[in-house]
Amino acid sequence: GIAKTVRDITLQKQAEDQVHSLNQTLEEQVMERTTELEQAKRTLRTVFDALPSMIGYWDRQLVNLVANKAYFEWFGIKAESIPGKKIQDVLGHDLFEKNRPYIEKVLTGEPQVFELEILTLNGELKHSLAHYLPDWIDGVVNGFFVIVHDVTDMVNSRTETANALNKNRL
């Protein structure tokens, strides 16, 4: 004998076509958003690297996640090679120890602003004004942002002015 079954699968085929169409639309939207994000990332990186101040981010384990090109001028380390490095490896032992109290405080959630002298690789003594800003997420400090300005000219000017005033008093 022969048995024959006939089913109308029109609705199933329409649903499959609709799912395929939605998947295609979603893939196009993801590609479009990815392109927009990549462009925004390039723009942000260009601005970030053009700034003369050092800017970076360190997580709770003191591992760098991002750094700008100014780090190269201060420490001779290319910005793209810093992410993944421990802060001690970038700053060196002595400078890390000078920074340790500020790092410990910022990791408790207290923003830090302080001046430090930094000896660069070429032997130049620079004066820095550092800002350590805690990164709070859901009530927990996950790391901290670092913004360090070269204030050598201002410190030298301040010293010269103080010396001139002292000389004038004498």
Side-chain angles (χ1 to χ4, degrees):
I2 297 177
K4 186 175 189 180
T5 304
V6 177
R7 283 187 341 176
D8 183 4
I9 59 169
T10 304
L11 292 176
Q12 182 181 348
K13 286 294 186 186
Q14 287 174 345
E16 286 175 3
D17 289 344
Q18 188 176 13
V19 166
H20 179 71
S21 174
L22 289 172
N23 280 341
Q24 184 66 31
T25 302
L26 183 59
E27 285 178 19
E28 289 170 5
Q29 288 176 346
V30 167
M31 286 177 57
E32 184 179 309
R33 297 286 189 267
T34 300
T35 301
E36 289 172 2
L37 285 172
E38 287 298 321
Q39 179 60 40
K41 184 179 173 182
R42 276 192 303 277
T43 301
L44 184 59
R45 175 51 78 177
T46 299
V47 171
F48 193 57
D49 284 340
L51 296 171
S53 298
M54 280 190 294
I55 300 175
Y57 180 85
W58 304 87
D59 68 13
R60 282 198 72 73
Q61 290 70 43
L62 304 181
V63 173
N64 183 273
L65 300 182
V66 67
N68 70 343
K69 286 187 178 182
Y71 276 84
F72 179 75
E73 293 175 18
W74 289 70
F75 300 110
I77 303 171
K78 291 186 178 181
E80 58 270 12
S81 70
I82 295 176
K85 289 189 179 201
K86 300 278 286 177
I87 197 167
Q88 298 92 322
D89 297 333
V90 174
L91 299 181
H93 176 74
D94 292 341
L95 188 54
F96 173 72
E97 289 304 321
K98 287 181 183 177
N99 278 273
R100 183 189 293 271
Y102 306 109
I103 292 169
E104 290 171 354
K105 285 184 181 177
V106 74
L107 289 175
T108 66
E110 294 180 51
Q112 300 294 300
V113 178
F114 57 96
E115 283 187 35
L116 272 181
E117 290 181 345
I118 298 176
L119 188 62
T120 63
L121 286 178
N122 63 5
E124 179 184 0
L125 184 65
K126 287 189 175 187
H127 296 272
S128 67
L129 175 63
H131 299 263
Y132 287 4
L133 308 169
D135 177 27
W136 289 94
I137 297 178
D138 297 327
V140 176
V141 177
N142 287 329
F144 60 101
F145 297 93
V146 172
I147 303 169
V148 179
H149 310 285
D150 181 358
V151 292
T152 304
D153 292 340
M154 286 189 288
V155 170
N156 291 342
S157 177
R158 186 171 57 199
T159 303
E160 288 172 11
T161 302
N163 289 342
L165 284 173
N166 283 338
K167 209 180 226 187
N168 193 25
R169 278 189 219 141
L170 292 174

